[in-house]
């Protein structure tokens, strides 16, 4: 009985600490946010989904700051109009920001990570400094293929295409097609 009571208490605390929004009506204008999407945000972080956009099942949208409230002033996830966010994606701010333009298509199992930590020797990982490069920006009409990972500090230009399984570590120019680990230019859209 203790386990059930504790679990009930924990769920209640999570709902108090984070705005848990798992219903389409939580985002006015959004076409659909699947009920199994996990949407969490700290009270001081913004999370917005544009008109006509869809977030599929199993996707995690986490707009929060890992360590300090003062860092979260600009921490947010903003999804533009008429976007499609496929199944089982992982969008996490951790004190950074994710800005997705209009008409963006994100396939399944994609990770957009807007924060990280240092790797200094002799300092525990939980105490590592947070790097300055921590925002992810995706231009209008971009397409991100299945299983791609976009790391902190990356801007993906308008109309760019990210190949399946790519790990994007640096900015991608508009209309570019990139792929590989790390992602490299393949050619430009014509």
């Amino acid at each position: 009985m203790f386990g059930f009571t504790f679990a009930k208490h924990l769920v209640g605390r999570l709902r108090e600490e984070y705005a848990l929004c798992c219903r389409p009506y939580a985002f006015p204008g959004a076409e659909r946010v699947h009920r199994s999407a996990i949407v969490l945000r700290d009270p001081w972080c913004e999370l917005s989904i544009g008109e006509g956009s869809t977030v599929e099942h199993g996707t995690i949208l986490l707009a929060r700051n890992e360590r300090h409230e003062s860092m979260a002033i600009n921490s947010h996830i903003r999804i533009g109009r008429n976007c499609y966010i496929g199944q089982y994606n992982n969008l996490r701010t951790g004190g950074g920001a994710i800005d997705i333009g209009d008409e963006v298509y994100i396939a399944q199992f994609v990770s957009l990570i807007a924060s990280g930590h240092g790797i200094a020797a002799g300092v525990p990982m939980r105490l590592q400094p947070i790097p300055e490069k921590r925002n992810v920006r995706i231009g209008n009409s971009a397409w991100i293929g299945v299983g791609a990972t976009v790391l902190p500090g990356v801007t993906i230009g308008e109309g760019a295409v990210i190949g399946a399984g790519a790990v994007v570590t640096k900015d991608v120019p508009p209309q570019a097609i990139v792929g590989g680990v790390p992602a490299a230019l393949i050619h430009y859209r014509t």
Side-chain angles (χ1 to χ4, degrees), residues 9-181:
H9 170 74
L10 184 60
V11 168
R13 290 285 296 158
L14 284 173
R15 286 187 177 156
E16 288 173 16
E17 288 185 31
Y18 302 106
L20 181 59
C21 308
C22 296
R23 304 282 186 266
Y25 57 79
F27 298 98
E31 184 171 306
R32 186 172 75 122
V33 177
H34 195 277
R35 63 179 153 65
S36 72
I38 300 168
V39 182
L40 297 170
R41 72 172 179 83
D42 284 336
W44 54 84
C45 297
E46 177 190 347
L47 196 153
S48 62
I49 300 174
E51 185 177 339
S53 292
T54 298
V55 177
E56 287 290 354
H57 65 274
T59 290
I60 298 169
L61 301 175
L62 183 61
R64 66 178 294 204
N65 185 6
E66 295 296 332
R67 295 193 192 140
H68 307 288
E69 289 182 24
S70 63
M71 292 178 54
I73 292 169
N74 294 319
S75 188
H76 62 264
I77 297 175
R78 293 181 188 140
I79 299 172
R81 292 176 291 128
N82 301 314
C83 293
Y84 176 80
I85 312 292
Q87 298 87 357
Y88 304 106
N89 290 310
N90 180 20
L91 285 69
R92 294 175 182 254
T93 61
I98 298 174
D99 289 298
I100 299 172
D102 298 333
E103 307 284 342
V104 172
Y105 182 88
I106 299 177
Q108 302 78 26
F109 302 102
V110 170
S111 290
L112 304 178
I113 309 300
S115 69
H117 52 76
I119 54 172
V123 179
M125 282 298 157
R126 67 182 183 81
L127 299 176
Q128 292 284 340
I130 296 174
E132 289 299 315
K133 279 178 46 173
R134 59 179 189 255
N135 297 335
V136 172
R137 291 183 176 80
I138 301 173
N140 297 337
S141 300
W143 174 26
I144 301 178
V146 173
T149 300
V150 180
L151 296 178
V154 170
T155 297
I156 296 174
E158 186 170 333
V161 177
I162 310 300
V167 176
V168 185
T169 60
K170 58 185 179 180
D171 291 352
V172 176
Q175 304 299 323
I177 300 174
V178 301
V181 179

